[in-house]
Amino acid sequence: MSGQRSRGGSSDHQRRIRTRNCSRTARAHLSFSVNHLERLLREGHYAQRLSSSAPVFLAAIIQYMTATILELAGNEAQKRGCRRITPELLDMAIHNNALLSGFFRSTTISQVAPGWQ
């Protein structure tokens, strides 16, 4: 039986070939760049050593929080009959959510966006 592969499963070699030319961002199905966040973590000197999975987790968390905030702001826009998400709606969405409100307690969201007319 040695030397024979089991049927139905892909070998390690085939799996490596499929993921070799694929970025970490694409492999994790994320929108935020894993490489960019890794560079920011390294340049920020937040720790002496950095796990290879740390920027992947950070990108996933940032993507999840962004999606949540935009969903809440979109709901606020629909309630008001607006078609655009404004900084005011973002602020309102964060303020009305207990968890996000505590997380963004010391954050100021500008009410005047640059280039807004």
Side-chain angles (χ1 to χ4, degrees), residues 50-108:
L50 185 66
S51 164
S52 62
S53 60
V56 178
F57 286 125
L58 182 60
I61 290 167
I62 292 173
Q63 181 171 322
Y64 174 77
M65 289 188 69
T66 302
T68 302
I69 292 169
L70 286 174
E71 181 182 0
L72 293 171
N75 294 343
E76 289 289 335
Q78 277 186 336
K79 285 179 192 174
R80 288 183 165 202
C82 300
R83 294 178 57 97
R84 289 191 181 131
I85 295 174
T86 62
E88 182 184 1
L89 291 172
L90 284 171
D91 189 40
M92 191 179 303
I94 291 170
H95 180 73
N96 290 339
N97 186 295
L99 293 174
L100 291 174
S101 179
F103 188 76
F104 287 100
R105 181 167 292 139
S106 62
T107 303
T108 303

Side-chain angles (χ1 to χ4, degrees), residues 4-15:
Q4 291 182 347
R5 282 188 242 148
S6 62
R7 294 181 188 209
S10 61
S11 68
D12 289 335
H13 178 68
Q14 289 173 338
R15 195 174 303 120

Side-chain angles (χ1 to χ4, degrees), residues 33-55:
S33 173
V34 173
N35 290 335
H36 181 72
L37 287 171
E38 181 176 28
R39 182 172 52 83
L40 292 174
L41 285 171
R42 288 191 187 283
E43 288 176 359
H45 300 291
Y46 297 106
Q48 289 181 343
R49 296 167 58 181
L50 185 66
S51 164
S52 62
S53 60

